[in-house]
Amino acid sequence: MQMGSRKQAILERLHKKGEIQISDLAEYFGISEMTIRRDLESLEMDGFIRRIRGGAIPATSRSYEPPILTRESQNHEAKIRIGRAAAELLRDGETVILDVGTTVLQMARAINSRMPLTIVTSSLLIATELSSKPQVRTIVAGGEVRPGELSLIGASTENAFQNFNCDSFFIGVAGVSAANGLTEYNLDDSRVKKSAIKASARKIVLADSSKIGKMAFASVADLSEIDILITDANPKNKEINLIKDAGVEVIHVEPFEKEN
């Protein structure tokens, strides 16, 4: 593997895992730890990573949320497949909460326009998407608009969900892991999600493979509160097996991510 390709592969592994170890990288690529250190030095100089004792972490913090337009282009095909699989779980007449985020937006696009549903959302993007579906009754949880995200946050949004008793909540997250449960970049978003979880009988997480095993800044929920995870992560993924062991049903959409 050429050096440029190897550094890209290092960044991809870091994006998936959140932290990488020099010894693990050396074994994975079949090269010396000294060569890996030189790669990490170069990536740090370019601003992609921060080196720590024995390895590296992303240059951005766990509270940094990439812009929504950037996120929408990442793992785009996987998000479409996950969104379609999530839409297939809906049944006529259900009352549903749709979370914010690019994967849940793909679910909204996949909803059958002839299916009668009541949907509550704190995403103006999703509400706009649903407005073209005549059989869907859409309720927007009021609140303060997050600039750039077009999501609603604050006490008004959190309180709005306390007035509802919904069948299902489809959740978008920054990270999901067996050790840390669901996590999110933004504390205000996490509070809204917590309120929506309490208002729902069934909780379904939509997360592409890059979110599996990842931990972001703000805690949302333990895995014990979650019923289903829909993902393109490989069924052989060790973290996925730990999530299954925690009692979460996992729905895999194909093609799966490649297992490293």
Side-chain angles (χ1 to χ4, degrees):
M1 181 181 292
Q2 296 181 349
M3 184 175 180
S5 300
R6 188 172 65 240
K7 287 197 291 186
Q8 181 62 39
I10 289 172
L11 290 176
E12 290 175 357
R13 288 178 69 82
L14 180 59
H15 180 66
K16 288 183 179 180
K17 298 178 179 295
E19 182 176 326
I20 48 177
Q21 298 296 315
I22 291 172
S23 57
D24 292 340
L25 291 173
E27 180 179 356
Y28 177 72
F29 290 110
I31 57 179
S32 70
E33 292 190 7
M34 183 61 69
T35 300
I36 292 295
R37 286 192 178 92
R38 287 197 292 267
D39 287 350
L40 296 183
E41 288 174 3
S42 174
L43 289 168
E44 185 175 46
M45 290 180 63
D46 290 337
F48 290 110
I49 69 166
R50 283 194 294 144
R51 285 185 296 166
I52 59 173
R53 184 177 179 84
I57 59 176
T60 54
S61 73
R62 289 192 173 110
S63 64
Y64 170 73
E65 184 173 23
I68 191 166
L69 291 178
T70 300
R71 301 200 311 273
E72 188 169 15
S73 63
Q74 294 171 346
N75 302 310
H76 184 66
E77 291 301 319
K79 291 176 180 179
I80 291 174
R81 298 196 305 274
I82 292 168
R84 289 173 178 169
E88 290 176 0
L89 296 180
L90 295 171
R91 297 294 178 265
D92 287 359
E94 274 197 286
T95 302
V96 179
I97 299 175
L98 293 191
D99 197 10
V100 301
T102 55
T103 310
V104 183
L105 177 60
Q106 291 298 336
M107 176 189 174
R109 290 170 176 163
I111 291 174
N112 188 328
S113 61
R114 295 182 297 276
M115 178 176 284
L117 297 166
T118 296
I119 295 180
V120 186
T121 185
S122 57
S123 167
L124 298 181
L125 287 173
I126 287 174
T128 301
E129 181 67 34
L130 295 175
S131 67
S132 64
K133 301 177 187 292
Q135 294 300 311
V136 176
R137 179 189 181 202
T138 304
I139 300 172
V140 178
E144 176 186 348
V145 178
R146 283 190 65 200
E149 290 297 308
L150 294 180
S151 62
L152 298 166
I153 56 172
S156 296
T157 313
E158 296 164 36
N159 292 338
F161 286 115
Q162 296 178 12
N163 297 319
F164 301 116
N165 297 295
C166 296
D167 296 306
S168 302
F169 177 29
F170 291 84
I171 314 169
V173 293
V176 53
S177 69
N180 301 292
L182 309 187
T183 53
E184 192 50 77
Y185 295 112
N186 183 276
L187 184 59
D188 290 322
D189 271 345
S190 73
R191 288 171 175 159
V192 172
K193 293 174 195 288
K194 287 178 180 179
S195 183
I197 284 172
K198 292 179 180 178
S200 307
R202 182 176 65 159
K203 279 75 72 172
I204 303 103
V205 176
L206 282 59
D208 68 73
S209 59
S210 70
K211 312 290 179 60
I212 305 301
K214 184 176 179 181
M215 179 177 66
F217 172 66
S219 295
V220 175
D222 294 331
L223 288 184
S224 60
E225 299 179 68
I226 304 306
D227 298 295
I228 300 172
L229 166 66
I230 307 176
T231 183
D232 67 318
N234 196 301
K236 297 179 181 179
N237 183 302
K238 292 180 180 178
E239 188 68 30
I240 285 293
N241 287 323
L242 291 174
I243 291 171
K244 290 178 180 177
D245 289 343
V248 178
E249 177 187 351
V250 180
I251 297 174
H252 295 276
V253 298
E254 297 185 23
F256 307 136
E257 62 159 350
K258 293 182 180 179
E259 180 66 6
N260 293 326

